[in-house]
Structures are given as C-alpha cells and as structure tokens.
C-alpha cells in the first residue's frame, strides 16, 4: 500500500511541470479577452421615441461607427453566414476543414485564401486588424475559442455586424445601411443585404461607386447561393437581381440637428432614444422652413420652436433654429439661450395677485401716466385707458397696469416667485431689474419660459384629476431622453406656488384673443382650437415671442436674429404668433381645462368695477373667484349721490329741499382715471357738479396727471443741449372750466378745457397751485432737478 502511494507521489512529481503549464495555459485562456472587447469610439446616434433615427454625429476618430447593435436582421444574417461562414452555428470558433484548405492553397499556390470564421474575424477586428502572420493566426484561434465560450452565437454575430468595415470610414451594418441605402438595417431587402454582406470581405477593393462589376458579380453569386439553399424563392431571387447597387453615400438624417448636437455634448458615443415624436418633428420642421422663408424677406433669420407634453413634461418637438445659413448663425441652439422676455412674465404676476387675494379676475386697474423713481412705462400704442379690467390688461398686454400691479404686489416678492418657477436666466437680485422686470428687463430662455407655462397647465390638470391635490415640484425641468425618470415631487394639499383657482382664471384671461388695431386677417387666430397664449416683444424689436398652452401641450416660439439685430415688424403678434397658430393647427384637439371648484368660492361682484359688490353697486353677478379673493376690498367706485329733480346737479340739504332730492347710485372714477376712461366709454357719465349754493364737502374736482405726488421732475435736455420745457398736466371733472396756475406765488397762466401748461422752471423746490373758476384749489409740492448725464 505504501509502495502504491509512493508511486503516485512520484508520478505527480514528475508531471507537476506539465500540470502547472496546463493550469497557466488555462488561466491565460480564461483571461485572454480584453474587457470590453472593443475599445473604439463610437458615433452618437439620436432616435425618436418610435426608434426612428433623428440624427447622428461622427465618432471622435473620424469613423462612422454606430454603437453596438442589439441584434442582426434575419436577411443579413442569412447572407453573411452563407458568404463568410456557413458552419457558424456548428464550429467551436474555428473551422479545421476551412483552415486546412486555406493552408494548403497558401503553401502550394501564389494566391491567398482565408480560412477564418466569423468568430476569428471578430477577434481580428477587436485587435484592430494587426498584420497577418501565422503567430497572429494562432492568437486569433486561441481567443476565438474563448469568445465562443463566453458569448452566445447571436452575440458574436452582433459583434461582427457592429464592427465590420464597409468601405471608406463606414463601420458596422447599421451605419452602412443608412449611408448606402438611407434606411435602417431592419428594412434592408434581400438584394441590399447581399450587397452589404460581400463588402467586409474586401472593403478597400469593393467600394460603392467603383469596381461595380466586381461588386455586382459577388452580390449576384451570393443571391444565387441563397436561392439554391432555399433561403429565398425564385421571384424574390429575380427581383433581388434587378436591385441597384449602392452608389454615392447618402447623408444621414438630421431631423432635429440642434437636439442631436445637445445630446452629443452630454452623451457622446451613445445611442439615445428621445421623447421626440418623429412625425410631429417633421411637421414642425416644415412649418419652420416656410415661416423662415417669409421672415427672411425682412432680414429676420432665426427662429426656434419647442413643444412639450404638459402632463409628462416630455419634449415632443425641438427646433433649435431656422434652416438658415452659417452667416446667420444657424448652428446656434436658440432654445436654451437667454433673451429678453418682453411681456411673458405678466401672466405670472396676474396669477400671483389672484393667488394672494389682492386682485380679482376683472377688477379695474389704473392705466394712467405713471412715473416711479424716474421710470416711466408706456403701453405699446402710447395710449392710456384710464381704468381697465385686470383680465383685459393681461390679454391686451398693457404695460402701465402691469408696472403698477408689480409695484403694488412688491418687486422682491414677485422676484422670489419667479425664481420658484425655475427661470434660471433671472439670476440677479430684484433691485438689479427694478419694475422693468415685468416688461422684459430680465432674460430667460425659451426652454424655461415654455416649461413655466406648461407647469401652470399641469398644476391645474393634476388638481382636477387627483381629488384636489398638488405636487411639490410641478415646475420641474422637461426631459428629452425616453425612459428618464422625472420627479414631480410629493403630493400635498397646499399649492406650492399658484393655487388652481388662480391658474384657471389666468389661463381664461389668456384665452381671450388680443385683436390689435389694424391687424389684417386676425380672425385666423381666433378660429383655432382653445389655447391660452401670450406674446412678447423686447425693447428695440430684437425678440418676438409667442407661448401657449392647451390642456395637453405647451408651445413656445421665438423669432429674431441670433446676433441681436432688431428689425421693424419683429413683434410677438406679427412674427411669432403666426408660427404658434400654425403649430397649434397640426396638434390633436384638446378639451379646455375643467373648473377647479375646490379652489374657488362663489361671490357677488360688481359688474362695472370687478370688485366685490359694495352696498351701492346696482349691477351685480355671482361669479366663481379664487378663495382668498373673498378678502379683497369691496367696490369703492359706486357711491350714493343726491341730485336735483332734473338730475343735472348734485345737491344737499344746505341748498335744496330734502323732499325734492333724487337719490341715485353713481359709478364715478377718480379725476385722472376718468380723464382717460370717459372718451373711450360713451356710456360713462361723469359725476354732476354741485349746485352753486351748496356746500361741497370732500368733493375731488381735479387732480394732477403730471407731476405725480412725491416724484421729482428731471429737466431734460434737447439735442441742442438746451433744457426743454416741462409740461404740467391736470384732469378736471367739469368741461369748459378755466384753471389758473401758480408756482409758489408766481402766476404762470390759465388753461381751458385741455389743462396742459408748458414752463421752463429752474431747479428747486416749489408749491404748484391750481385754482378753477369755481374757487376749487389744489396744491402739491414739486421738486425740480437737472437730469444727470
């Protein structure tokens, strides 16, 4: 027994070197493949949500090499196996018979024959086609067996189809399919598959566009073999023979060029499936091209369009710029560039004030000459309306009411709201922008603006669909990569920014069509499906905006010149709105937003003032308003007045018999508001004057339009460096009244009917006094200073 054990020990000792060598060989074999197998840069490929190619960008090494395929199309698989490796699914990585035949031919003849299997060719490709030798062949053989052990046959075939050369700088089947036939590899015919199958065998010799006779002969021979093997029937064979050979390479699709470039910079070398709807993107491209042609006649060269799904916040269409020239900056992706916002922030101020209960939807707001710390806003038409419903001020995009509302709401407070909406371009403190923030004094991008409007619509949709709840992160940034998770935050009872009632009334106001004077064919816009929309125009006519939302979609349009050049007619109404409504026309119809009753309360409102009804309001109606609106002030424009029997004069008991007095409710605006309101409203009746002998307690007959109380007057200089005159302006209730003007004790002159007086005062502090022919007097302190250079 001991002898037998000793014999075994001696045997093992004598053969330990062999076992060690075998063990090392096995370890070497086990780890002989690099990980990953291919370490080459790949092109960036961008696809639509349907999987259709939108665009691609070449790999860093200058090769058109798409990322690895997921699978190999059946037709190409049958073609390549029959041409290159008929026993692919039977051999262990190498074919001894083929190798023996190739070795014999290479030793006995001058011609060279390859005996490599597809597995060995994959190894050769992974080793970057090193110079052929018998040693290199042994390495390929060694690694091929390891590849077969570690990967499935389908995986190996996919490696080959992904990294085989197809002539020039075209690498991989998918790339070749697009470059040579302009279609994805899944749509290749038998003739096309056969033509591509023969290319990797000699890509330098058989290159589309040259040596076509050789290529045709090889392709047809392969088709015959496919027919003889029963892979295709006779009709398919005959049709395939008639198919044209690939010629000059096709340009790759570039359906969303700026998004493709954006993804290339973020996900270089990857195949990315986006949320873009392919058909919609193509339609938007067509609309963009048509409008660019028209706009270019006015030297307006750039425009951008963004469409979001309101509820998922997915990007459905992305046109970063018009199809213009390099000279006109066609490479600039305008969507994420900050530009002056124009009037696009006004709806958010309106919603903020509705949300806080400081405003009701149709409450009258002042539209009169306004100066705040030297800043004097103007409406686009240079006119004033005196008083206008807040909803109308928003739909008509009136600047003066917006500035006055912002001053009332609070600049710092609104600036904080804007930051909550993720306007990333608004990154300075509130004081940097001042009240001009609401009129385009800040900059933001089409990306952020469109998303903010989408966030309002989504808030309302979610509230109505979720039993009156909100999400904490409703204004989250959109996504354009399919499958990427988006975090809308936690469900909560309180509105994170605007309540649903405030949003509903804001969108209703924006649904009203703004019909500017003299605009031709405006009825086109009003005939489209319901949409809440807003235009914006920056100072100097440099940026034109139009943004709109339905219950399903948010549309953002910017038009202008990327270099900032302004052009006449470059306004939101004229340049951007037509694009918006052309886009809206091709989108599926959407129902209007449901009424969020849980965030509204029914209240009695004054029809004329839009305030909560006061005791003297005669015409009232029951309306649904945001809940906090119930805390707003009652109407103070209606007052009880006592008139004489003919209702032509105001009277009181000091001058008129009580029994003969007529008591009425009267809608009366303050003098300055009335001065601008009355000419635009023929139905408006100014408050009658008091009878001559009556005591006039508390009557406000007149008020200064300019200067305003507590505002310094800056003396302007003309082009000749001389100080221009200052024009004092007064509103008076009584027509044909004579007014006497004084500056301190110095008499300045008189005015009648239109009370405007031009003077050239010296800098200083004064008391401005006016007295009318009835003895009514008005005084105001005035500070006059020279304008600084």
């Amino acid at each position: 027994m001991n002898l037998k054990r000793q014999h075994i020990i001696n045997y093992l000792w004598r053969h330990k070197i062999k076992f060690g060598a075998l063990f090392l060989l096995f370890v070497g074999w086990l780890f002989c493949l690099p990980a990953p197998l291919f370490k080459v840069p790949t092109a960036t490929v961008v696809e639509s949500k349907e999987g259709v190619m939108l665009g691609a960008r070449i790999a860093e090494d200058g090769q058109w090499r798409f990322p690895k395929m997921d699978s190999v199309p059946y037709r190409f698989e049958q073609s390549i196996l029959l041409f290159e490796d008929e026993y692919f699914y039977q051999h262990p990585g190498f074919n001894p018979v083929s190798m023996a035949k190739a070795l014999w031919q290479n030793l006995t003849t001058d011609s060279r024959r390859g005996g490599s299997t597809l597995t060995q060719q994959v190894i050769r490709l992974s080793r970057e086609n090193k110079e052929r030798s018998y040693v290199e062949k042994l390495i390929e053989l060694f690694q091929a067996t390891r590849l077969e052990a570690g990967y499935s046959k389908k995986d190996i075939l996919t490696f080959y189809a992904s990294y085989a050369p197809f002539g020039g700088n075209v690498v991989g089947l998918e790339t070749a399919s697009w470059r040579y036939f302009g279609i994805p590899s899944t749509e290749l015919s038998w003739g096309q598959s056969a033509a591509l199958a023969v290319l990797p065998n000699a890509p330098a010799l058989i290159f589309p566009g040259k040596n076509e006779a050789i290529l045709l002969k090889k392709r047809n021979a392969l088709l015959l073999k496919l027919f003889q093997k029963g892979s295709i029937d006779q009709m398919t064979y005959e049709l395939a023979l008639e198919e044209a050979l690939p010629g000059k390479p096709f340009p790759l699709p570039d359906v969303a060029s700026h998004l493709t470039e954006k993804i290339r910079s973020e996900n270089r070398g990857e195949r990315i499936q986006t949320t873009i709807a392919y058909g919609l993107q193509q339609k938007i491209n067509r609309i963009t091209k048509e409008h660019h042609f028209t706009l270019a006649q006015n030297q307006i060269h750039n425009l951008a369009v963004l469409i979001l799904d309101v509820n998922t916040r997915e990007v459905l269409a992305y046109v970063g710029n018009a199809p213009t020239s390099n000279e006109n900056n066609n490479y600039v992706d305008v969507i994420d560039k900050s530009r002056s916002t124009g009037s696009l922030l006004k709806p958010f101020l309106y919603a903020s004030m509705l949300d806080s209960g400081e405003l009701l939807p149709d409450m009258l707001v002042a539209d009169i000459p306004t100066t705040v710390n030297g800043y004097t806003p103007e409406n686009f038409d240079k006119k004033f309306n005196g008083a206008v419903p807040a909803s109308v001020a928003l739909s008509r995009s009136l600047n003066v009411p917006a500035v006055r509302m912002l001053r009332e709401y609070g600049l710092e407070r609104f600036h904080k709201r804007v930051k909550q909406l993720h306007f990333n371009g608004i990154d300075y403190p509130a004081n940097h922008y001042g009240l001009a923030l609401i009129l385009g004094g800040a900059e933001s991008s089409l990306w952020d603006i469109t998303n903010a409007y989408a966030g309002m619509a989504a808030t309302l949709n979610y509230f109505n669909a979720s039993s009156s709840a909100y999400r904490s992160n409703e204004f989250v940034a959109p996504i354009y990569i399919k499958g990427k998770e988006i975090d809308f935050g936690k469900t909560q009872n309180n509105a994170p920014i605007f309540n649903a009632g405030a949003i509903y009334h804001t969108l209703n106001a924006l649904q009203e069509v703004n019909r500017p004077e003299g605009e031709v064919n405006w009825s086109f816009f009003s005939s489209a499906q319901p949409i809440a929309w807003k235009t914006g125009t920056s100072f100097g006519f440099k940026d034109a905006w139009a943004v709109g939302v339905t219950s399903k979609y948010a549309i953002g349009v910017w038009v202008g010149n990327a270099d900032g050049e302004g052009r006449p007619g470059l306004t939101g109404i004229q340049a951007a709105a037509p694009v918006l409504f052309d886009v809206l026309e091709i989108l599926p119809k959407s129902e209007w937003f449901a009424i969020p009753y849980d965030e509204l309360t029914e209240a009695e409102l004054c029809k004329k003032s839009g305030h909560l009804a006061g005791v003297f309001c005669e015409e009232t109606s029951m309306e649904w308003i945001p809940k906090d609106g119930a805390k707003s002030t009652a109407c103070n424009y209606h007052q009880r007045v006592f008139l004489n029997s003919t209702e032509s004069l105001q009277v009181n008991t000091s001058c008129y018999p009580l029994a003969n007095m007529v008591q009425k409710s009267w809608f009366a605006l303050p003098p300055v508001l009335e001065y601008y309101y009355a000419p635009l409203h023929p139905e408006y009746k100014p408050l009658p004057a008091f009878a001559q002998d009556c005591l006039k307690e508390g009557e406000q007959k007149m008020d200064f339009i300019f200067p305003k109380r507590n505002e310094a007057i800056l003396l302007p200089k003309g082009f000749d460096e001389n100080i221009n005159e200052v024009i004092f302006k007064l509103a008076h209730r009584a027509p044909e009244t004579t007014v006497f003007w004084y500056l301190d004790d110095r008499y300045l002159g008189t005015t009648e009917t239109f009370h405007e007086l031009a003077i050239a005062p010296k800098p200083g502090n004064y008391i401005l006094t006016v007295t009318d022919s009835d003895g009514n007097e008005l005084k105001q302190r005035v500070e006059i200073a020279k304008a600084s250079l």
Side-chain angles (χ1 to χ4, degrees):
M1 193 73 178
N2 290 335
L3 289 175
K4 186 175 181 180
R5 182 184 303 169
Q6 185 63 41
H7 178 74
I8 293 172
I9 292 173
N10 291 337
Y11 177 83
L12 292 174
W13 177 256
R14 288 195 304 269
H15 292 82
K16 67 178 181 178
I17 297 177
K18 294 181 180 179
F19 284 122
L22 288 174
F23 176 75
L24 291 176
L25 182 63
F26 174 75
V27 171
W29 176 84
L30 193 63
F31 297 99
C32 68
L33 291 180
L37 187 61
F38 287 88
K39 298 179 181 179
V40 289
T42 55
T44 305
V45 179
V46 179
E47 298 175 341
S48 70
K49 67 179 181 180
E50 302 91 351
V52 180
M53 187 191 294
L54 296 175
R57 295 295 180 267
I58 199 165
E60 293 179 348
D61 61 355
Q63 300 294 305
W64 279 113
R65 183 190 300 107
F66 285 6
K68 183 175 174 289
M69 301 174 66
D70 296 326
S71 61
V72 180
Y74 173 77
R75 290 169 181 166
F76 181 79
E77 178 181 347
Q78 296 303 306
S79 299
I80 194 66
L81 292 184
L82 206 54
F83 185 74
E84 288 282 359
D85 194 352
E86 194 171 351
Y87 299 98
F88 175 72
Y89 282 103
Q90 286 76 45
H91 63 63
F94 62 94
N95 188 332
V97 176
S98 295
M99 292 178 63
K101 289 181 178 179
L103 179 62
W104 176 255
Q105 180 173 320
N106 293 341
L107 291 174
T108 59
T109 66
D110 293 332
S111 62
R112 290 292 177 262
R113 172 178 174 176
S116 298
T117 63
L118 285 177
T119 309
Q120 289 173 285
Q121 291 183 50
V122 169
I123 294 298
R124 185 186 308 138
L125 292 171
S126 72
R127 292 174 60 78
E128 299 181 356
N129 287 311
K130 292 188 177 181
E131 185 177 350
R132 296 190 181 189
S133 65
Y134 289 109
V135 173
E136 183 63 26
K137 203 72 174 179
L138 287 174
I139 295 174
E140 290 175 8
L141 179 64
F142 188 69
Q143 291 187 336
T145 58
R146 180 65 184 91
L147 186 64
E148 289 278 350
Y151 294 87
S152 69
K153 288 288 187 178
K154 292 292 186 183
D155 288 336
I156 296 170
L157 191 59
T158 302
F159 274 126
Y160 178 82
S162 300
Y163 296 101
F166 284 83
N169 66 343
V170 177
V171 178
L173 171 64
E174 189 68 21
T175 316
S177 180
W178 278 106
R179 292 290 281 162
Y180 296 144
F181 297 106
I183 56 174
S185 60
T186 54
E187 297 180 13
L188 289 172
S189 66
W190 280 106
Q192 293 167 336
S193 297
L196 292 182
V198 303
L199 282 181
N201 183 259
L205 174 64
I206 307 173
F207 181 78
K210 70 174 185 179
N211 297 326
E212 290 190 356
I214 302 176
L215 177 57
L216 181 64
K217 181 179 178 181
K218 284 182 172 288
R219 186 204 66 173
N220 290 350
L222 177 55
L223 287 172
L224 178 60
K225 198 172 183 181
L226 286 166
F227 171 61
Q228 292 172 342
K229 291 288 185 179
S231 297
I232 57 177
D233 57 30
Q234 184 169 353
M235 180 176 291
T236 302
Y237 169 63
E238 292 174 354
L239 290 174
L241 290 175
E242 298 300 320
E243 291 187 42
L245 293 173
K248 184 179 180 181
F250 285 83
L252 290 174
D254 206 15
V255 182
S257 59
H258 295 88
L259 181 61
T260 300
E261 191 60 33
K262 185 182 186 73
I263 291 175
R264 183 201 65 81
S265 64
E266 298 170 353
N267 304 88
R268 189 183 298 270
E270 298 181 39
R271 184 188 302 273
I272 299 295
Q273 189 172 13
T274 69
T275 59
I276 297 295
Y278 184 78
L280 178 60
Q281 179 73 26
Q282 286 190 310
K283 291 177 182 178
I284 301 303
N285 285 345
R286 175 182 54 78
I287 290 172
T288 302
K289 183 177 181 180
E290 291 172 354
H291 281 276
H292 169 255
F293 177 80
T294 302
L295 292 165
Q297 312 308 310
N298 188 24
Q299 298 182 37
I300 301 171
H301 300 290
N302 307 103
L303 69 95
V305 179
L306 178 67
I307 303 178
L308 305 178
D309 184 304
V310 161
N311 298 311
T312 65
R313 215 60 52 82
E314 293 180 345
V315 178
L316 301 180
Y318 190 109
V319 178
N321 209 326
T324 185
S325 62
N326 289 338
E327 181 183 354
N328 294 308
N329 306 299
N330 63 342
Y331 54 87
V332 176
D333 184 354
V334 182
I335 286 178
D336 58 9
K337 302 298 184 294
S338 291
R339 310 284 298 201
S340 170
T341 56
S343 299
L344 294 179
L345 299 185
K346 290 176 182 175
F348 303 107
L349 175 60
Y350 182 80
S352 297
M353 297 187 74
L354 291 176
D355 179 77
S356 64
E358 298 166 66
L359 185 73
L360 296 182
D362 297 317
M363 184 182 287
L364 286 180
V365 292
D367 182 17
I368 57 177
T370 301
T371 301
V372 182
N373 297 326
Y375 174 58
T376 304
E378 291 182 328
N379 293 325
F380 188 80
D381 60 4
K382 311 292 185 183
K383 298 177 182 178
F384 299 98
N385 296 274
V388 64
S391 60
V392 175
L394 177 60
S395 66
R396 292 178 55 192
S397 198
L398 298 176
N399 294 335
V400 175
V403 170
R404 296 179 68 93
M405 289 166 62
L406 179 56
R407 181 176 61 175
E408 179 183 342
Y409 184 75
L411 175 61
E412 190 72 43
R413 188 178 169 199
F414 181 63
H415 181 266
K416 184 178 179 180
R417 275 285 169 96
V418 168
K419 297 296 290 183
Q420 290 177 305
L421 297 173
H422 302 303
F423 283 103
N424 297 313
I426 304 178
D427 50 5
Y428 289 103
N431 289 337
H432 173 82
Y433 303 106
L435 296 176
L437 171 66
I438 201 66
L439 303 183
E443 293 186 342
S444 191
S445 65
L446 187 63
W447 179 264
D448 289 344
I449 290 170
T450 308
N451 185 55
Y453 279 76
M456 285 206 299
T459 299
L460 188 52
N461 285 341
Y462 188 80
F463 182 87
N464 287 322
S466 62
S467 301
S468 306
Y470 295 95
R471 294 183 291 196
S472 61
N473 194 28
E474 194 64 72
F475 291 83
V476 63
I479 59 171
Y480 47 84
I481 296 179
K482 188 175 181 179
K484 184 177 181 180
E485 293 186 7
I486 185 166
D487 182 15
F488 286 104
K490 298 179 180 179
T491 301
Q492 59 189 48
N493 294 325
N494 297 324
I497 303 179
F498 308 118
N499 68 63
I503 292 175
Y504 178 76
H505 278 288
T506 301
L507 298 181
N508 268 352
L510 293 175
Q511 188 187 4
E512 295 300 320
V513 175
N514 172 16
R515 185 189 292 272
E517 293 182 8
E519 190 66 24
V520 179
N521 296 326
W522 190 253
S523 59
F524 168 78
F525 299 110
S526 61
S527 65
Q529 62 170 306
I531 184 173
W533 64 289
K534 182 75 183 71
T535 60
T537 305
S538 66
F539 180 77
F541 303 102
K542 297 179 180 180
D543 305 276
W545 303 83
V547 182
V549 289
T550 69
S551 58
K552 294 182 179 179
Y553 306 103
I555 310 166
V557 177
W558 175 91
V559 177
N561 286 311
D563 60 5
E565 179 187 356
R567 294 295 303 167
L570 184 52
T571 66
I573 293 290
Q574 292 178 280
V579 183
L580 173 74
F581 282 92
D582 275 357
V583 171
L584 179 65
E585 190 177 7
I586 66 171
L587 291 175
K589 300 292 183 182
S590 303
E591 296 296 326
W592 190 243
F593 299 93
I595 301 175
Y597 287 108
D598 288 349
E599 282 287 23
L600 300 173
T601 185
E602 198 170 21
E604 186 179 11
L605 302 185
C606 175
K607 282 190 173 182
K608 285 190 175 181
S609 70
H611 283 257
L612 295 175
V615 294
F616 301 122
C617 294
E618 292 184 326
E619 297 182 56
T620 64
S621 62
M622 299 301 294
E623 303 288 347
W624 290 94
I625 63 172
K627 286 183 176 180
D628 284 344
K631 299 182 291 186
S632 62
T633 59
C635 176
N636 59 358
Y637 294 118
H638 281 89
Q639 54 186 282
R640 184 174 59 182
V641 297
F642 296 93
L643 305 172
N644 60 10
S645 58
T646 61
E647 300 184 7
S648 59
L649 294 171
Q650 291 189 68
V651 295
N652 53 40
T653 54
S654 69
C655 65
Y656 200 79
L658 181 61
N660 297 335
M661 289 183 188
V662 177
Q663 180 179 317
K664 292 196 72 171
S665 174
W666 204 281
F667 176 68
L669 296 171
V672 177
L673 274 66
E674 181 183 274
Y675 177 82
Y676 292 99
Y677 183 87
L680 302 175
H681 297 268
E683 75 282 1
Y684 179 80
K685 296 180 180 179
L687 197 62
F690 271 92
Q692 189 170 3
D693 298 333
C694 289
L695 297 175
K696 309 162 191 174
E697 296 181 3
E699 181 188 22
Q700 187 182 8
K701 297 279 289 186
M702 52 188 173
D703 197 4
F704 287 111
I705 298 175
F706 183 81
K708 300 302 293 181
R709 187 173 289 105
N710 301 322
E711 292 292 341
I713 299 174
L714 300 179
L715 296 175
K717 285 187 177 182
F719 292 109
D720 56 3
E721 293 298 315
N722 293 324
I723 294 177
N724 294 337
E725 292 181 327
V726 174
I727 300 177
F728 293 148
K729 198 169 185 178
L730 180 79
H732 200 290
R733 286 192 185 280
E736 308 300 331
T737 300
T738 300
V739 174
F740 304 89
W741 297 74
Y742 301 87
L743 198 61
D744 286 344
D745 296 328
R746 182 166 66 92
Y747 172 69
L748 299 177
T750 61
T751 56
E752 295 181 5
T753 308
F754 300 103
H755 304 293
E756 297 180 1
L757 187 69
I759 66 169
K762 294 181 179 179
N765 296 314
Y766 302 92
I767 300 294
L768 179 62
T769 305
V770 291
T771 305
D772 65 13
S773 54
D774 293 330
N776 296 298
E777 185 179 77
L778 181 66
K779 291 187 177 185
Q780 184 169 301
R781 291 186 177 274
V782 176
E783 178 187 351
I784 299 175
K786 287 184 178 180
S788 58
L789 297 177

